[in-house]
Amino acid sequence: MFGPFRATSPLSGGLLWKIPFRLSQPQKARQRKRLRAVDTVIAVVDSALRKQGSSLKEVERWKAEMPSEEEMRPKDKYTVFDRKEKRYRKGIHKVPKWTRVSQRINPPGF
């Protein structure tokens, strides 16, 4: 049918998950804020355990392995390694549950 009320093609109609190519500036700001919040929680738990004279191996391992938000490069803050991608990196916003899972470590050289 022709005219203003013509039927749409199946490819352009229906439910589409439209994920933009890049993170927007507010998304990047929220990502940095989330990273800093996790760093703050780790610091508070570590200081509280130190006051009691004890420590947890999980907290010590986190501090040894995971970089803080200030130590991370922007490339690592906003992208993650993906072996199926052309340049082995994809935007962190394309990872399922990217706001709840920590993605701080990538393979060396990528």
Side-chain angles (χ1 to χ4, degrees):
M1 303 302 271
F2 300 108
F5 301 109
R6 67 176 174 250
T8 59
S9 68
L11 290 176
S12 63
L15 177 64
L16 291 176
W17 289 12
K18 297 179 181 175
I19 301 174
F21 179 69
R22 290 186 180 92
L23 281 171
S24 66
Q25 290 294 346
Q27 282 177 312
K28 286 183 179 182
R30 286 192 300 269
Q31 172 68 0
R32 289 190 303 270
K33 186 177 177 183
R34 275 190 292 273
L35 290 170
R36 283 192 297 265
V38 171
D39 292 340
T40 304
V41 168
I42 294 295
V44 167
V45 168
D46 186 44
S47 66
L49 288 172
R50 251 196 235 137
K51 283 182 184 177
Q52 293 179 348
S54 63
S55 66
L56 284 174
K57 63 181 176 183
E58 290 86 1
V59 174
E60 297 302 323
R61 182 177 173 202
W62 178 278
K63 286 173 35 185
E65 292 179 6
M66 297 286 195
S68 65
E69 189 263 338
E70 296 85 24
E71 296 169 350
M72 292 175 73
R73 297 179 300 170
K75 178 180 171 183
D76 292 333
K77 289 181 194 179
Y78 311 124
T79 62
V80 291
F81 175 78
D82 185 18
R83 63 189 172 116
K84 298 182 294 270
E85 288 291 318
K86 186 175 182 180
R87 298 180 69 199
Y88 301 105
R89 286 284 184 158
K90 72 177 181 181
I92 195 165
H93 63 295
K94 296 185 180 183
V95 176
K97 299 183 176 72
W98 69 283
T99 60
R100 292 177 270 169
V101 178
S102 182
Q103 301 281 345
R104 294 186 186 218
I105 298 178
N106 293 295
F110 292 99

